[in-house]
Amino acid sequence: INNFRLDYVLNVEPNEYMTACNFWETVEFNRNLYGNAYVYNQMQGGNTIGLWILPTDEVQMLCDIAGIFGVKNAIWYRWTDRRTAKQWLFSSEEILHYKSSISFDGYTGICLPDLVQYHIDSKKYSQEYLSELYKNKMMGNKVVVQYDTENYDEKKATEIANQMQRFSNNEENAGKWIPIPMGFSTKSIDMKLTDAQYEELSKMSSLELAAVFGIKPNILNNYDHSSYSNSETQQLDFYINSLMPILKAYNQEDTRKLLTGNEKKAGTRLERDTDELFKM
């Protein structure tokens, strides 16, 4: 819109401590991490003069059903500053509330990391499994020593097992042959990476993460099923399927809270400029 005041706040300097780039990066990070991002709209004479990010984990959304604060069924935002224990109460018109794309009630967004915690844990366990294999010099978890059962002696068997364990853990002997007495044979009992489908599990985790955040796997460097003919086509797909729903939500919230009543009645709408995405 032809509004220098609003254009400068949104695109150059939302407040005296941040540039627009830093500001919107922080808002988007909070929106994804907590499921909600809250921005205080500082106004003067009916016009926006500054935008301030509120700590998401310190803001509580309230619904005043009884009209205690003057208006029934109104939504309020209470910010409790942990450093000073002071509280501020804001009306819904004063707060820009950016939600994640998933919500159970339509008022608050769901924290995306919570949805993928199971997959993150699975990834962590697979990494621990791989680390354990490296720690064991990739020799497997167990080695069975086979020999004549007629000469079986429990004390002797324990001594042989301890000797082999010390030999395999010796850094000088790591990766080398382990000598065994005549008449003995060994067999490794382990689960190889191929048996554990380690690669498939890693890919599945990346696919599930991409699905939760609404992005294509190629953004996470998974090109197994990529069929883009050029970077421009890939960028267009990223815009249509990933960025457009997010930008649409931003645009609607900004239009609701930042434009005056007359501007909205005149059909004015706020939209993000996406031309930068397609500059070659």
Side-chain angles (χ1 to χ4, degrees):
I1 63 175
N2 186 20
N3 189 323
F4 175 77
R5 168 193 55 78
L6 198 53
D7 174 72
Y8 186 81
V9 172
L10 291 175
N11 298 315
V12 181
E13 187 180 11
N15 57 66
E16 57 186 290
Y17 300 105
M18 294 183 183
T19 63
C21 183
N22 299 137
F23 179 87
W24 293 114
E25 284 175 349
T26 305
V27 170
E28 179 65 9
F29 178 79
N30 278 274
R31 190 185 72 88
N32 283 293
L33 180 62
Y34 296 105
N36 301 276
Y38 304 104
V39 176
Y40 168 59
N41 180 20
Q42 182 183 6
M43 302 190 70
Q44 187 178 70
N47 296 320
T48 298
I49 61 173
L51 298 175
W52 302 86
I53 300 174
L54 302 181
T56 302
D57 56 344
E58 297 179 3
V59 176
Q60 183 181 12
M61 186 177 178
L62 306 173
C63 183
D64 186 10
I65 300 176
I68 297 175
F69 300 115
V71 181
K72 287 187 176 182
N73 299 320
I75 293 177
W76 300 82
Y77 295 88
R78 181 172 62 191
W79 171 35
T80 304
D81 189 349
R82 292 177 180 173
R83 295 168 297 181
T84 62
K86 292 183 178 180
Q87 290 187 346
W88 286 266
L89 190 66
F90 304 100
S91 66
S92 59
E93 290 76 17
E94 296 178 285
I95 297 295
L96 297 169
H97 184 181
Y98 303 105
K99 300 179 283 289
S100 66
S101 56
I102 303 176
S103 174
F104 289 125
D105 55 15
Y107 297 103
T108 56
I110 300 300
C111 177
L112 296 182
D114 287 346
L115 298 178
V116 296
Q117 187 62 50
Y118 171 78
H119 307 298
I120 294 176
D121 290 341
S122 298
K123 184 70 174 178
K124 180 184 67 174
Y125 297 145
S126 64
Q127 290 289 353
E128 291 175 353
Y129 170 70
L130 184 62
S131 299
E132 189 66 25
L133 285 181
Y134 284 130
K135 186 190 300 182
N136 293 330
K137 316 302 180 185
M138 299 300 287
M139 291 298 295
N141 296 327
K142 301 293 182 182
V143 176
V144 176
V145 180
Q146 297 175 332
Y147 61 95
D148 187 0
T149 55
E150 294 181 0
N151 299 324
Y152 175 79
D153 180 82
E154 184 174 352
K155 183 177 180 181
K156 183 178 180 181
T158 303
E159 182 180 352
I160 293 175
N162 291 335
Q163 288 178 352
M164 295 185 66
Q165 183 68 33
R166 288 195 299 269
F167 196 94
S168 62
N169 288 339
N170 191 333
E171 294 185 0
E172 296 181 358
N173 298 322
K176 299 181 180 180
W177 296 100
I178 300 177
I180 59 176
M182 290 289 294
F184 285 62
S185 63
T186 62
K187 181 179 180 180
S188 176
I189 299 179
D190 64 343
M191 181 179 288
K192 300 181 178 62
L193 293 181
T194 52
D195 297 332
Q197 295 183 314
Y198 181 80
E199 183 180 359
E200 288 77 4
L201 289 174
S202 298
K203 290 180 180 178
M204 182 61 66
S205 296
S206 65
L207 291 176
E208 289 164 342
L209 285 171
V212 169
F213 285 94
I215 60 179
K216 289 300 182 69
N218 60 277
I219 302 297
L220 299 179
N221 298 323
N222 186 336
Y223 300 98
D224 287 353
H225 303 286
S226 179
S227 59
Y228 298 107
S229 57
N230 54 56
S231 59
E232 186 178 6
T233 305
Q234 179 176 319
Q235 196 77 341
L236 180 61
D237 178 80
F238 176 63
Y239 166 66
I240 294 175
N241 294 298
S242 299
L243 291 183
M244 184 180 289
I246 298 174
L247 296 179
K248 188 175 182 179
Y250 272 92
N251 295 339
Q252 292 176 351
E253 183 70 4
D254 290 345
T255 299
R256 291 178 60 216
K257 303 293 180 65
L258 296 177
L259 296 182
T260 63
N262 292 333
E263 289 173 333
K264 286 184 283 189
K265 289 180 181 179
T268 304
R269 299 293 183 268
L270 289 177
E271 292 187 1
R272 259 62 178 180
D273 185 5
T274 59
D275 290 342
E276 292 289 336
L277 293 172
F278 308 105
K279 285 186 178 180
M280 299 302 292

